[in-house]
Amino acid sequence: MKYRSVFDIIGPVMIGPSSSHTAGAARIGRVARSLFGREPKWANISLYGSFAQTYKGHGTDVAIVGGLLDFDTDDKRIIKAIEIAEEHGMKIRFIEEDAVTDHPNTARIIIGDHNGELELVGISIGGGKIEIIELNGFELKLSGNHPAILVVHNDRFGAIASVANTLAKYEINIGHMEVSRKEAGKMALMTIEVDQNIDETLIEELEQLPNILKVTKIVD
């Protein structure tokens, strides 16, 4: 694994005690919140492996909920995140899963309100770094460490090229890009991590392209 700075090794500024179980968990929750686009009214949080065994002692539970409340890793409110969420009317359920996953620090988060739902699987890989590996049934690889664009689209010829050309028009450099689909010719998901900040004008233009169904941005 390559590190960009010493903070990738010792972890981010955070509310402790663990960069993997606390900071990473908070980032998983915050990415879910960012993708959902608003504070959810309920959350079902399934924990696997080490997360399931130690989540209360290591603060994984409050960290994930803090992320859902849009708290950063160093926000002191994380300590009381569950209480704050309950004050906001958020219904929270934690599930300790027995299934064996590929990574010991795995969480599946299902959040929603009366307008919709979102399901996300994330792993905490150490030093506060994370990967989102599944979103609403689509496989992906999203670090959460860079600005990113998620594009839901019809799996049609030219859809990927039109998005890439639009990014080039705005001089946006692609750091990582992959496409996931459940079935050929049906719905697909582009995951694009970029090096520059993403302007709303770009998002609006992407949404107007043929075969593009929804565009969501994640700010680093």
Side-chain angles (χ1 to χ4, degrees):
M1 181 184 295
K2 294 182 179 180
Y3 298 96
R4 293 181 297 169
S5 75
V6 67
F7 294 105
D8 288 341
I9 301 172
I10 64 175
V13 177
M14 65 175 189
I15 301 297
S18 168
S19 61
S20 294
H21 287 209
T22 314
R27 284 180 167 171
I28 293 171
R30 202 174 187 203
V31 169
R33 161 65 181 261
S34 179
L35 291 172
F36 193 58
R38 56 195 181 275
E39 186 173 291
K41 289 299 182 183
W42 56 266
N44 292 328
I45 303 167
S46 295
L47 302 171
Y48 299 81
S50 181
F51 267 4
Q53 296 166 7
T54 65
Y55 72 95
K56 292 182 179 179
H58 283 185
T60 305
D61 49 357
V62 295
I64 291 178
V65 175
L68 294 177
L69 291 170
D70 205 25
F71 298 164
D72 206 346
T73 55
D74 61 348
D75 194 317
K76 294 181 180 179
R77 292 176 295 174
I78 283 179
I79 297 171
K80 296 185 176 181
I82 293 177
E83 296 175 33
I84 295 170
E86 290 174 347
E87 290 172 0
H88 290 191
M90 188 188 303
K91 304 296 183 182
I92 305 165
R93 179 184 177 216
F94 288 99
I95 306 164
E96 299 174 21
E97 300 283 4
D98 295 326
V100 177
T101 55
D102 291 337
H103 194 282
N105 299 331
T106 300
R108 179 181 298 274
I109 301 174
I110 305 175
I111 55 178
D113 58 17
H114 60 279
N115 287 321
E117 298 182 12
L118 178 142
E119 182 175 357
L120 172 152
V121 179
I123 59 176
S124 179
I125 60 178
K129 298 170 74 68
I130 67 168
E131 288 183 2
I132 305 303
I133 59 173
E134 185 180 318
L135 176 65
N136 291 338
F138 289 103
E139 294 181 359
L140 73 160
K141 185 177 181 181
L142 177 67
S143 72
N145 294 321
H146 306 280
I149 306 170
L150 274 64
V151 183
V152 180
H153 61 100
N154 291 319
D155 184 27
R156 300 287 189 275
F157 176 82
I160 297 172
S162 65
V163 170
N165 289 336
T166 303
L167 293 176
K169 171 184 171 182
Y170 282 82
E171 299 183 344
I172 300 294
N173 189 52
I174 297 174
H176 175 80
M177 178 177 181
E178 63 180 41
V179 180
S180 175
R181 62 185 185 182
K182 300 176 184 178
E183 186 178 346
K186 302 294 184 179
M187 193 179 295
L189 174 67
M190 279 183 251
T191 306
I192 308 169
E193 292 189 335
V194 298
D195 294 335
Q196 293 85 13
N197 290 326
I198 305 160
D199 190 88
E200 284 297 333
T201 304
L202 168 58
I203 299 299
E204 292 172 3
E205 187 164 335
L206 290 173
E207 290 176 333
Q208 299 304 313
L209 295 173
N211 294 307
I212 303 304
L213 304 176
K214 183 179 181 182
V215 182
T216 305
K217 72 173 181 178
I218 300 177
V219 180
D220 182 16

